[in-house]
Amino acid sequence: MDTLSRRDVLEWAMAESVPVRCPACRREHLFAAPSYPCVCGAPVTPPLDRLADPAPVTHRTWDEDWVTVPCDTCGRADQWPHPELGCPCGVMLRIPVRGVRRPLRAEVVPGTGAPADLETEPEPEAAPHTPEPPPLDTPEPPPLDTAGSPPLDTAESSPLGTAGSSPAPAPATPGSPLIPDHVPLPRTTPTPRPVFQPVTIRTARDAVTAATLYLRWLGYRDIRRADQRPPSGIGLAARGMLAQVDPTVRPATLRDVECLWLTAMSDSTGCVYFSLAGYADDARRRADALGIPLFVLDLTGTPQPVNTHADELLATGA
């Protein structure tokens, strides 16, 4: 990505602001759309529609969460998150935009609600277990004596066995006190992982893709979009982990870190944060106190650990 000029920085700082009124509580807000970095280095900001009213978000689909916005400098059209505003009354508002289009259906994998670049190969299913038939050659029962009972071996019938020999111990079988059914092994060194294969970050979707691949590389499965969208960025959910990906050009704030932690605590799961522009100093201190791993996404798509909790997650994995 090219170095930003002073004009680009001023354009980022002077983002378009529109008044927004919540239809539920009638409270008014002043909303400024976030800016995203284009491949050419210029800022891309979704144009807000001042004449249309915001709509409450009741359910989420991929087509409604993303918009395609062209860059005013190079003309490249990329997909960016649809601007949204969380009202203090609890209603999430989708801010209308003008002059943009929704992602095409061909750009989304049918039946999944996820983009094609986020869809990965499914995990191979284990082959169904087929019980083996019993062997045909079954041992014949011992012959019966004249009294109709099996012959008794003197060594087995006598409690002392033969002279000069000690009684044979009973064989240990699974489930007996000598050998339990399952003995948990202590966790030693983590299982070695292959080298992480990053994806170059050029758009916001690339940042989400890089975080998804990294979580799967750490060992997390069933990665999907989070049910509750965070105040900024994109939320991802996996088994035992809630992740937030912030592809904007501003550092993550203290409020962003605390909101992620509160959401993870309500779901009784862990959390991790991926940011493209780093973190504010107070956000890093709070993450260290709350035990939240922080990663910075470089432009090659490789997350770099920021604090000790991120180093521990990188070392141990899921």
Side-chain angles (χ1 to χ4, degrees), residues 161-309:
T162 58
S165 62
S166 60
T173 58
S176 64
L178 297 180
I179 301 180
D181 293 333
H182 173 68
V183 178
L185 298 178
R187 184 173 182 179
T188 55
T189 58
T191 304
R193 296 186 297 266
V195 179
F196 176 67
Q197 301 295 333
V199 56
T200 304
I201 297 179
R202 298 185 178 91
T203 65
R205 293 181 61 184
D206 294 337
V208 178
T209 303
T212 303
L213 296 177
Y214 194 76
L215 289 174
R216 183 171 287 109
W217 178 73
L218 289 175
Y220 293 98
R221 294 294 179 264
D222 294 340
I223 303 175
R224 62 196 183 279
R225 286 289 296 272
D227 298 333
Q228 182 177 355
R229 182 168 181 174
S232 63
I234 304 298
L236 299 175
R239 293 180 184 176
M241 181 61 70
L242 180 66
Q244 182 169 337
V245 185
D246 192 351
T248 61
V249 294
R250 65 168 183 84
T253 63
L254 173 65
R255 178 175 179 267
D256 298 332
V257 172
E258 290 180 341
C259 290
L260 172 63
W261 181 79
L262 290 174
T263 305
M265 289 300 99
S266 62
D267 295 340
S268 299
T269 183
C271 57
V272 60
Y273 206 114
F274 297 91
S275 176
L276 191 62
Y279 304 88
D281 293 338
D282 54 354
R284 292 186 56 176
R285 290 192 296 268
R286 184 57 56 87
D288 292 339
L290 298 177
I292 303 177
L294 301 180
F295 290 89
V296 170
L297 295 169
D298 58 22
L299 297 183
T300 64
T302 303
Q304 303 295 336
V306 175
N307 56 0
T308 55
H309 301 292

Side-chain angles (χ1 to χ4, degrees), residues 42-67:
V44 177
T45 304
L48 305 180
D49 191 350
R50 295 175 175 268
L51 302 179
D53 296 329
V57 179
T58 57
H59 65 279
R60 295 191 175 278
T61 62
W62 187 267
D63 290 348
E64 295 179 352
D65 284 348
W66 294 83
V67 291

Side-chain angles (χ1 to χ4, degrees), residues 3 13 36 40 42 44 84 109 131 138 140 155 172 205 242 249 252-253 301 307 317:
T3 304
Y36 301 96
C40 66
V44 177
E84 292 184 355
V109 177
T138 57
E140 297 181 357
R205 293 181 61 184
L242 180 66
V249 294
T253 63
N307 56 0

